[in-house]
Amino acid sequence: MSNTVIVGTQWGDEGKGKIVDMLAEKAGAIVRFQGGNNAGHTLVVDGEQCILHLIPSGVLHEGKKCLISNGVVLDPEVFLKEIDGLAAKGVDVSPARLMISKKTQIIMAYHKLLDNCRESMKSADSKIGTTGRGIGPCYEDKMSRIGVRAADLADPELLRAKIEAALVEKNVLFEKLFNVEPLDPEKVFQDLLPIAERVAPYLADVSSEIQNTIKEGKSVLFEGAQGVHLDIDHGTYPFVTSSNVVAGNAAAGSGCGPRQLERIIGICKAYTTRVGAGPFPTELFDEVGDTLQRVGHEFGATTGRKRRCGWLDMVVLRETARLCDLTEFALTKLDVLSDLDELKICVAYEYRGEKVAYPPQEQNGMAHVKPVYESMPGWKGDITKAKKYDELPVEARNYIARIEELSGVKVGIVSVGPDRAETIVR
Ligand code: GDP
Ligand code: IMO
Ligand code: MG
């Protein structure tokens, strides 16, 4: 297998975890390169479900290296909880195969507090609906050059100094602006020490691990989190997450060269969903939307919130194809569309009196577009048992062919159920 990047093409929760788990069998190493435990990636193997927030989705495959690289923001408590849960199931989570880059930014107690203070202070229409995991404030500290990095967990004096420095400004905000108790730097430090001690053995030079894997003739699988329309630059700003989600960040976020990224697979749900606030042109507020939500079990894997549902949006997908130079799509949850009489595809937007093929670039422009729809007949019956492409009903194959036509990107993988085995590779 070539080195492969997996990106979410929509607003997250497209089924990245499932596809990464499936492809991990052929990889030497699996790397999480951005985001943090705002992600929730679901794997189902032989009917058993496993939700991962930080650990790469290749972990269920024995012997594969699982790497958390510099572009990630890591909550060490969540990391330990996740490895304890996996270890209890008999999964090997030893530092021999699971590693954290020494350059990874650490999510601190004050980041989580700040995230939640900010959200609760915002007016109803400006709330982002973050996951409350401290993601934004942690990336802010990274960019302000005052972040705590994973290597600092093994250097208590540096750690203490960084916490003291970071809290100088933040405590003013907590006390004066948000009216909450300021944090005692010494307590933050002492609380972190036992956690730091447990995380320290996992620290590694992840960039070198990636290069060594490639030198051994094995391939690397880069596991994106979120979706391209949540990207800090290219998403529906300001209703986005705080990292670059686009495929190019797999290089910067992990310490490899862009030429080493060979195959770029965009994971695409057969319809569209979004959790949290922000524009969503094809959102459905009718019975069909409720059906997609119910049949697709569309609840957030991290926060349990109901996901908003709508028709497939080709404007969104075209933009992702262009931003990521996708080599193919993996189309997921096709089974959820079974038994709908009519399927709609948004092929363009009307924006300021014109028909446009790409999202507007102005802030919140997507809130002011009108979707232009095409309609296709649906299919009846269960498709989850299909093992070959030809076994899909002709209407399903036509739907896929139309997606390929409208995007210029081929669909290489079709997922017809949550289980690893419920997948068709063309
Ligand atoms: P991720 O964040 O992109 O990894 O996606 P999530 O795990 O948050 O959400 C995807 C959900 O859809 C999970 O519950 C998966 O088990 C489920 N899923 C993935 N692929 C399929 C599929 O083809 N059909 C159905 N019915 N469910 C799927
Ligand atoms: P996976 O990897 C769906 C959304 C949040 C919120 C916005 C900002 O499972 O696809 P943040 O906590 O990142 O500051 O929240 O981004 N969001 C996601 N939505 N799937 C995700 O991850 C998400 N990660 C963040 O709901 O709207
Ligand atoms: Mg998810």
Side-chain angles (χ1 to χ4, degrees):
M1 191 171 82
S2 344
N3 299 324
T4 302
V5 185
I6 299 297
V7 287
T9 58
Q10 295 151 322
W11 280 284
D13 304 325
E14 299 89 350
K16 298 175 290 294
K18 166 180 168 161
I19 302 298
V20 170
D21 166 65
M22 186 203 111
L23 294 175
E25 196 192 338
K26 295 209 167 77
I30 302 90
V31 189
R32 268 289 305 271
F33 61 89
Q34 46 74 232
N37 61 307
N38 46 351
H41 295 179
T42 314
L43 286 46
V44 183
V45 183
D46 298 330
E48 202 185 322
Q49 194 188 61
C50 169
I51 299 178
L52 299 167
H53 301 285
L54 267 174
I55 311 285
S57 297
V59 74
L60 300 185
H61 293 271
E62 226 172 281
K64 308 289 178 181
K65 274 189 193 155
C66 291
L67 309 173
I68 297 175
S69 63
N70 58 282
V72 170
V73 288
L74 180 130
D75 185 328
E77 269 180 82
V78 173
F79 173 78
L80 293 177
K81 212 172 137 195
E82 200 154 291
I83 58 171
D84 288 345
L86 288 164
K89 289 189 198 167
V91 178
D92 172 15
V93 286
S94 66
R97 69 175 295 219
L98 176 60
M99 294 167 222
I100 301 169
S101 165
K102 294 184 186 179
K103 298 176 181 174
T104 301
Q105 296 283 326
I106 298 297
I107 299 179
M108 304 290 287
Y110 43 82
H111 293 138
K112 291 178 261 189
L113 183 59
L114 201 52
D115 192 357
N116 290 301
C117 284
R118 288 227 182 95
E119 277 288 284
S120 43
M121 206 180 195
K122 285 197 165 108
S123 62
D125 59 348
S126 64
K127 279 192 206 302
I128 292 167
T130 73
T131 58
R133 304 298 194 262
I135 307 296
C138 184
Y139 277 116
E140 280 171 39
D141 277 4
K142 169 178 175 168
M143 293 311 180
S144 302
R145 293 159 291 187
I146 58 164
V148 172
R149 306 211 294 182
D152 307 343
L153 298 177
D155 184 346
E157 283 325 300
L158 179 62
L159 183 61
R160 176 188 262 132
K162 281 196 172 184
I163 293 171
E164 280 171 4
L167 279 175
V168 171
E169 275 186 20
K170 288 182 185 71
N171 271 341
V172 176
L173 292 178
F174 290 141
E175 253 192 297
K176 308 275 186 236
L177 183 66
F178 298 118
N179 291 316
V180 296
E181 282 290 306
L183 296 185
D184 172 15
E186 188 56 26
K187 182 167 187 318
V188 173
F189 172 68
Q190 292 297 341
D191 287 351
L192 190 54
L193 273 187
I195 296 168
E197 224 165 85
R198 279 195 68 199
V199 173
Y202 290 93
L203 301 179
D205 175 352
V206 161
S207 170
S208 292
E209 287 294 336
I210 292 172
Q211 296 310 325
N212 292 340
T213 305
I214 295 172
K215 270 190 210 131
E216 285 166 16
K218 297 175 188 159
S219 64
V220 179
L221 185 55
F222 297 88
E223 175 178 4
Q226 289 79 55
V228 163
H229 292 266
L230 287 171
D231 181 285
I232 183 73
D233 291 301
H234 302 288
T236 44
Y237 195 86
F239 300 101
V240 292
T241 189
S242 297
S243 66
N244 280 116
V245 175
V246 290
N249 195 29
S254 71
C256 75
R259 281 187 304 159
Q260 293 180 303
L261 312 175
E262 298 161 307
R263 187 178 171 201
I264 319 282
I265 307 181
I267 314 301
C268 168
K269 205 176 270 188
Y271 46 99
T272 312
T273 63
R274 177 165 200 169
V275 245
F280 180 178
T282 62
E283 184 167 11
L284 289 164
F285 300 95
D286 60 5
E287 224 170 87
V288 180
D290 292 345
T291 303
L292 293 174
Q293 202 278 325
R294 182 173 36 82
V295 179
H297 303 288
E298 295 294 355
F299 289 97
T302 297
T303 54
R305 289 176 290 178
K306 244 189 194 185
R307 294 175 183 148
R308 301 153 66 191
C309 296
W311 294 119
L312 190 69
D313 186 340
M314 293 312 299
V315 179
V316 159
L317 297 182
R318 239 182 243 126
E319 175 80 338
T320 297
R322 157 168 99 169
L323 292 169
C324 298
D325 192 18
L326 296 181
T327 55
E328 68 202 88
F329 282 124
L331 188 70
T332 62
K333 304 194 90 157
L334 190 65
D335 53 300
V336 175
L337 295 182
S338 295
D339 298 321
L340 289 177
D341 295 326
E342 181 196 27
L343 301 175
K344 284 189 181 176
I345 304 180
C346 167
V347 295
Y349 294 154
E350 272 174 30
Y351 180 61
R352 296 182 174 171
E354 275 177 56
K355 201 167 156 185
V356 297
Y358 290 91
Q361 306 236 326
E362 290 78 22
Q363 169 147 328
N364 229 4
M366 254 207 213
H368 305 285
V369 302
K370 197 173 158 236
V372 179
Y373 286 113
E374 220 177 72
S375 172
M376 295 184 81
W379 58 89
K380 300 281 169 214
D382 181 19
I383 61 167
T384 59
K385 302 288 172 299
K387 292 282 171 234
K388 292 197 190 103
Y389 193 69
D390 297 343
E391 290 167 20
L392 291 173
V394 63
E395 296 86 353
R397 281 179 279 139
N398 289 342
Y399 186 66
I400 294 169
R402 192 66 188 133
I403 294 171
E404 291 178 322
E405 262 169 28
L406 289 165
S407 64
V409 178
K410 67 174 198 282
V411 174
I413 297 171
V414 183
S415 174
V416 291
D419 204 282
R420 187 192 277 170
E422 289 168 321
T423 320
I424 300 167
V425 180
R426 282 171 91 183

